[in-house]
Amino acid sequence: MSTDPDRPSRPWLLRWAVLGLIVAGGVIQIVMSAYYLSVAHAPQPHDLPVGFVAAPADAAKVQAAIDKGGQFAAQPYPSADAMIAAIRTKDIFGGLDVTTTPPHLYVASAAGTAASNALKTAFTSVTQQQTADRVQQLSAAGQPVPPATVQQLTTPPAITDVVALPPDDRTGASIGLLVQALAIGATVASIGLGRIGARTRPSLLRGVGHTATLLVYAAASAAAVLGAAHAFGVVPAGTDSHLFRAFLLVSVAITGSVAGLVALIGAAGSFLGTAYFVVGVPISGATVLPEFLPPVARVLGQVLPTGAGATLVRDSLYFPAAPVTQPMIVLSLYAGVGILLVLITNALANRSRRVSLLRLTADAEEEPAREDAPASP
C-alpha cells in the first residue's frame, strides 16, 4: 500500500505534540503573568529614604508621622540646604521642611516620578495633619482659629523639584528604553560573534580577537545610544562623558556575559540574553523603582546587569554626585567573568586539540615500527 510522504505516518504523535505545545504555552503564560503582576501590579514604596527639617520640639512627632505605615524612612536634617544636598547625592528621594509657613516640600522627579508623586501625596497629608492638630489645640483652649491657619488646611505645601526631568522626558521612561536598546544590541552582537567564531579554530588568539571585537562593538553601541538620547533631548548638559562610560559598561557587561556562556556551553548560552529581558527588565528599576519592588525582587534586580545598568544610567544622567560603586562592581563582574570565559575556553580548546594531534602523530609514527618488528618465535 502506498503512502503519501506529506502525510504524517503517526497522527497520534502529532496530536500529542500539539497538545503538549498548548499546555506548555499555557503554563509559561501563567508563570510569567504571575511573575510580572507580583512585582509590578501595585507598586508601593518600601522604606523609601526621605528627609525632614523640623524644630527640635516637633522632630519626633514629624518623624513618626512620616514613618507610619512603613512606606518611608525619615531622616532629620539640620537645614533645608543640607537636605537638598542629600537629595542631589540621592541619599534621599525628597524631604519636607516644616519650619517654614507654609511647609516646603523638596522632591527629585528625576529619581522617579512614582517616588515624587508618593512624596507629594504623603507629605501633604502630614502637613495638613499638623495644621489640624494646631486647630484642635486652639479650639480646646477656647481660642479663635486664625484664618491663616484654616487656609493652611486646604493649601498643599510649596514644592521645589531639586532634580527635575528634562521637558522632553516628562515621565522618565527614557531610562528603561535606553537600557533595553543597549541590552538588545549587546545580546545580538554576542550571539552573532559566537556563530562567526564557530567557523574558525579555537585558540587564544581567536579569544583575544573575539574580546577585542566585543569591546569595539560596545563602544560603537554606547556612542549610538548616546546620539539617540541627544536627538530626543533627554541628555542634560555636561553629562556626556559620564553617560558614555555608563553605556559602555552596560554593553560590555551584557555582551561579555552572554558571549562567555555561549563559549562555555554552546548556543544554549544565548538564552541568558533572553533571561535578561524576561526576568531582569521588570525588576531592573527602570520603570518601577527598586524601592517600590518587593524585597526579593529589589535585591535580585540590582544584581542583574539590567538593574545595575538602569541605576548607573539614571545616576549618570541626573545625579553625577551620587555614589555608583555598587552598580559598577556588578557590571564589571559580569563583563570580567564573561571575557575570561571567552579567553579560557578558546585557550583550553586549542590546547586539547594540540594534545590530540600530538597523540595521533605519535600513534602514526609507532605503527610502522610495530610492523617492522620481528615476530616472536
Side-chain angles (χ1 to χ4, degrees), residues 36-266:
Y36 290 144
L37 291 174
S38 67
V39 300
H41 79 288
Q44 293 290 333
H46 303 283
D47 294 323
L48 187 74
V50 296
F52 69 92
V53 180
D58 299 329
K61 192 173 183 179
V62 172
Q63 182 163 2
I66 295 174
D67 288 344
K68 185 178 180 180
Q71 292 189 341
F72 304 98
Q75 304 173 31
Y77 285 89
S79 66
D81 290 340
M83 189 167 64
I84 291 172
I87 294 172
R88 293 191 184 280
T89 56
K90 215 174 148 189
D91 292 329
I92 55 175
F93 283 74
L96 180 67
D97 183 359
V98 297
T99 62
T100 62
T101 304
H104 202 112
L105 176 62
Y106 297 88
V107 299
S109 59
T113 54
S116 60
N117 290 336
L119 289 172
K120 292 174 185 176
T121 300
F123 284 4
T124 296
S125 175
V126 170
T127 56
Q128 289 182 340
Q129 183 61 48
Q130 278 198 314
T131 307
D133 290 344
R134 293 195 198 101
V135 171
Q136 186 176 6
Q137 291 172 0
L138 291 172
S139 299
Q143 299 179 11
V145 180
T149 302
V150 176
Q151 185 178 5
Q152 288 179 23
L153 281 171
T154 56
T155 302
I159 298 174
T160 296
D161 197 342
V162 178
V163 186
L165 286 164
D168 293 328
D169 186 25
R170 295 182 183 88
T171 63
S174 296
I175 300 294
L177 299 176
L178 293 174
V179 172
Q180 287 186 42
L182 285 168
I184 292 172
T187 302
V188 170
S190 58
I191 295 172
L193 286 171
R195 293 184 179 276
I196 293 172
R199 298 178 179 272
T200 60
R201 291 178 178 177
S203 67
L204 181 58
L205 183 61
R206 187 185 79 166
V208 172
H210 195 155
T211 300
T213 305
L214 290 176
L215 294 175
V216 171
Y217 177 88
S221 176
V225 174
L226 180 60
H230 265 291
F232 286 89
V234 298
V235 179
T239 60
D240 279 354
S241 60
H242 293 285
L243 196 54
F244 177 79
R245 289 195 295 270
F247 286 163
L248 178 63
L249 187 53
V250 173
S251 185
V252 174
I254 296 174
T255 305
S257 58
V258 175
L261 196 58
V262 170
L264 186 64
I265 65 174

